[in-house]
Amino acid sequence: MPSPLFADRPAQPPEPGAVDALISQTSRLRGEVDAVRRDAAAHDDDPRQRWQRALCDLAMHQLDDLSAQFGQLRDGAPAVTLPTADPADLPPVDDDASVFDDSFTSDAGAAYGEAPASTGSLLTRVGSAEWNLLTDEVSWSDELFQIFGRARERGPMSLDEMPTMVLPEDQPRLQAMVTDCLIDGKPIDGEFRIVRTDAAVRTVHMTGEPVLDADGCTASMWAVLRDVSELRRSERAVRESRDSLEDSRRVERTERRVAVELQEAVLPPWRGSLRFAHDGPAPLDVAGHYLPAASTDLIGGDWYDALTLPSGDALLTVGDLTGHGVAATSSMAMLLGALRGMAVAGIRPGALMGHLNQLLDSSGQPALGSAMCCRYDPVAQTLAWAQAGHPAPLLFRGGTGRPLRRPEGVLLGATPRVAYEETETRLLPGDVLVLHTDGLTRTPGAVGDEAGLARLLALAPRFGEARDAQECLRSVLEEFGEEAREDDACLMVVRVGS
C-alpha cells in the first residue's frame, strides 16, 4: 500500500502544522535515501550498485520536488496535484540479477502518449541505458523504449542517433552533457525535450556518468532517464497560478487605493467638531466619523456631510450606496456632488431626494442607495428632512432618546419618478441628533438592527452630560468602534447650542 507521504495531494491544502510535519518527514526520508546512496557509491565498481545509486538519486530528486511543493503549500501558493510515487514501489536490487533484469520492466507503456502520464510506480517513468564505447554495444531497458515511444524491434539508439529525437534548441545541451561526460569524466545531470514518433513532446531528465577501465580511460557511459513531463507541467501550472494570483492581488491593491483616495477626497475635510449656522440663537456643533468594515477590502459607498448653505441654513446628510470598491465610491462621489449642488441651489430635501433617485436610476452604474437629507434653519430652529430607505435620525433630549418619525421614501434607484415626503421637527438648545448609516447598529449574525439601536439609545444619559458633539461622538465610538463590523458605516453627531 502506498505511503501516505507520497499519496496524491488532497484538493484542499492541509493545515500549516500538518504541512510542516510532512516537510519534516520528507527531510528525514531523504536523509535515509542519501545514506543508502552513499553506501552504494562505496562499491561503484559493481554495475548493480551503480544502478541502485542511480535509483537513490532519482528518489532524492523526487523528494526534493515534493519538499518544494509542500513549501509552496505552507507559504500559501495554490495547490497543484503532482505526479508522485511511493519508494515502496521500487523493486529491491537482487544480487543475482543483471543490471537490466526483467524485474525492472513495466506495463505502463500506454502512459506515454499525448495524454498525461498516469501517476503510480516511479519505474513507469524511468528507463536506463549503457553505451559501450569499446564494442559500440548499446543496452536499453524496456522503460526507455516506452519513454521515447520507440518500437523495441528497432533496437536502442546510439549516442549519435539520440539528438535526432531532441528538439533543435535542446540539442546543444545534450551534446554538451555527453561530451563533458566522455571527455572530461563529468557526471551527467540535465534535462532536454524529445519529440516521440507519435509527435508527443516529452521532457526527459538524464543522470549518468562514465565507466572507466583499468587504465582510467572511458570504457562506457551509463545513464538513467526519467520522463518528468507531468512534473514540469505541474510546476508551470504552479508558477502561472502564482503569477495570476499575484496579478489579481496587485489589481485589488490598486483598486482599494483608488477607492480610499476617492473616498478621502469626497468626505468632509474637517476633523473634530464643526461649529456653524451661527445666524440664529441655536447654532450647531457637528462631529463626524467613518468606521471601516472588519475586512479592509470592503471600501463602500457610505458618506456623511455638513455645510452651510448660502441662505444661512445648514445641510446635514448621510447615505450609503450598495457595493464596494471603486464602483461604489465613484457613484457615491457623483451622488454627493449632485446633492451638494442642488442643496446650494435651494432645492428642499423632499424634492432633492427625488432628483437623486432619478440620477441614480439613469446612471451607467446601476446601484441602490439609502440617504437622508436634513436642512436646519438656525433662526426658526427647525429641522426639515426627507429620507430614502434610511434609518431615521435619533433625537436625544432630557436624558432619553428616540427615533424621529420617518416620512415616506423608497431606496434611491429602486423605481423611477417617485415622490419623497418631507417632514419638519423643532429642535431645542441642548438637543443631540445622531445620524448614521445602518452598518453602525447592525450586529453580525443578527436579524435586524434592533439590538444595536437599543444600545445606541441607551447612551442618552451620557449625551446629556456631554459638553460638545465631539464628546458625544467619543461615547458612540467607545460603544461601537471596536466591533468587527461586516460593513462600513458613517456617523454624524449634531448638538444644538444655546
Side-chain angles (χ1 to χ4, degrees):
M1 181 174 217
S3 164
L5 176 60
F6 290 88
D8 286 346
R9 298 182 185 192
Q12 297 296 326
E15 295 296 324
V19 174
D20 288 335
L22 289 172
I23 292 174
S24 297
Q25 292 179 44
T26 305
S27 179
R28 286 195 298 270
L29 185 55
R30 190 188 188 282
E32 295 173 4
V33 174
D34 189 35
V36 175
R37 186 190 65 82
R38 290 196 302 270
D39 182 63
H43 305 86
D44 205 39
D45 55 338
D46 185 343
R48 287 184 294 271
Q49 294 297 328
R50 290 202 304 270
W51 172 250
Q52 186 176 27
R53 179 160 61 88
L55 288 179
C56 289
D57 286 338
L58 289 172
M60 291 173 67
H61 272 294
Q62 193 82 355
L63 288 167
D64 288 340
D65 292 334
L66 189 59
S67 182
Q69 294 299 320
F70 283 151
Q72 291 171 352
L73 280 177
R74 180 189 58 195
D75 297 338
V80 176
T81 302
L82 298 181
T84 57
D86 187 347
D89 292 333
L90 297 176
V93 175
D94 186 349
D95 290 339
D96 296 328
S98 65
V99 176
F100 305 116
D101 188 82
D102 288 342
S103 61
F104 296 104
T105 62
S106 167
D107 61 355
Y112 295 90
E114 293 290 350
S118 60
T119 60
S121 171
L122 182 62
L123 294 183
T124 62
R125 300 191 305 278
V126 177
S128 58
E130 185 165 4
W131 291 271
N132 191 310
L133 305 182
L134 301 179
T135 65
D136 289 333
E137 291 183 66
V138 183
S139 300
W140 271 24
S141 69
D142 288 342
E143 291 76 26
L144 201 53
F145 285 98
Q146 295 163 2
I147 290 174
F148 278 79
R150 183 179 176 88
R152 186 170 180 81
E153 54 268 21
R154 296 182 60 188
M157 288 188 294
S158 67
L159 289 175
D160 293 332
E161 291 179 287
M162 277 192 63
T164 62
M165 295 192 67
V166 177
L167 287 179
E169 55 266 38
D170 290 356
Q171 289 175 7
R173 183 182 308 136
L174 174 63
Q175 183 178 358
M177 288 191 299
V178 172
T179 300
D180 289 344
C181 179
L182 297 181
I183 296 178
D184 299 328
K186 295 181 179 179
I188 293 174
D189 191 348
E191 292 183 6
F192 53 88
R193 290 164 296 170
I194 63 171
V195 182
R196 291 161 34 113
T197 54
D198 58 3
V201 177
R202 309 297 293 177
T203 301
V204 176
H205 182 266
M206 182 176 181
T207 57
E209 58 187 48
V211 179
L212 306 181
D213 60 15
D215 297 326
C217 298
T218 302
S220 64
M221 187 187 84
W222 65 268
V224 175
L225 297 95
R226 179 171 60 138
D227 184 340
V228 294
S229 305
E230 303 311 316
L231 177 62
R232 297 299 173 250
R233 182 179 292 113
S234 297
E235 290 173 345
R236 286 195 300 272
V238 169
R239 288 194 299 270
E240 291 168 0
S241 297
R242 187 188 299 115
D243 292 344
S244 176
L245 180 62
E246 183 56 34
D247 288 343
S248 297
R249 288 173 175 171
R250 190 180 301 110
V251 170
E252 290 173 0
R253 289 193 297 268
T254 301
E255 289 183 348
R256 183 182 184 279
R257 185 178 67 252
V258 171
V260 169
E261 291 174 353
L262 182 58
Q263 183 189 62
E264 291 177 348
V266 172
L267 292 182
W270 46 267
R271 296 293 183 267
S273 292
L274 174 68
R275 300 178 183 274
F276 67 138
H278 294 285
D279 293 339
L284 299 182
D285 176 21
V286 181
H289 193 79
Y290 170 78
L291 293 90
S295 172
T296 57
D297 297 330
L298 300 179
I299 303 298
D302 290 52
W303 81 80
Y304 67 93
D305 195 24
L307 71 150
T308 302
L309 301 175
S311 63
D313 290 357
L315 174 71
L316 307 170
T317 177
V318 293
D320 176 15
L321 289 184
T322 57
H324 299 92
V326 175
T329 52
S330 61
S331 295
M332 179 266 286
M334 174 195 68
L335 211 63
L336 184 54
L339 189 154
R340 288 168 173 167
M342 287 186 286
V344 168
I347 298 178
R348 299 289 299 178
L352 195 153
M353 287 287 104
H355 291 310
L356 290 182
N357 177 65
Q358 289 296 111
L359 178 63
L360 197 59
D361 181 67
S362 60
S363 171
Q365 296 180 340
L368 295 175
S370 69
M372 175 172 53
C373 181
C374 306
R375 187 181 181 117
Y376 175 68
D377 183 343
V379 177
Q381 301 179 46
T382 55
L383 184 79
W385 65 284
Q387 63 83 30
H390 199 85
L394 303 180
L395 174 62
F396 294 85
R397 177 183 294 171
T400 61
R402 63 179 176 85
L404 296 180
R405 186 192 67 80
R406 289 200 317 170
E408 292 294 325
V410 300
L411 285 171
L412 299 177
T415 181
R417 295 180 297 277
V418 62
Y420 289 83
E421 289 185 1
E422 181 178 315
T423 190
E424 191 172 282
T425 302
R426 180 174 176 79
L427 299 181
L428 303 177
D431 283 353
V432 173
L433 280 175
V434 174
L435 286 64
H436 66 91
T437 57
D438 57 5
L440 177 70
T441 55
R442 186 183 300 127
T443 303
V447 177
D449 59 357
E450 289 80 5
L453 179 61
R455 289 167 56 199
L456 191 53
L457 292 174
L459 297 175
R462 296 173 64 178
F463 291 166
E465 298 173 358
R467 293 167 295 183
D468 54 24
Q470 189 66 31
E471 191 170 328
C472 294
L473 178 66
R474 282 196 294 270
S475 296
V476 179
L477 296 181
E478 289 172 3
E479 179 67 25
F480 293 92
E482 298 301 322
E483 294 183 358
R485 64 190 73 258
E486 297 176 348
D487 197 5
D488 53 353
C490 280
L491 165 69
M492 192 158 61
V493 178
V494 183
R495 188 172 185 276
V496 182
S498 56

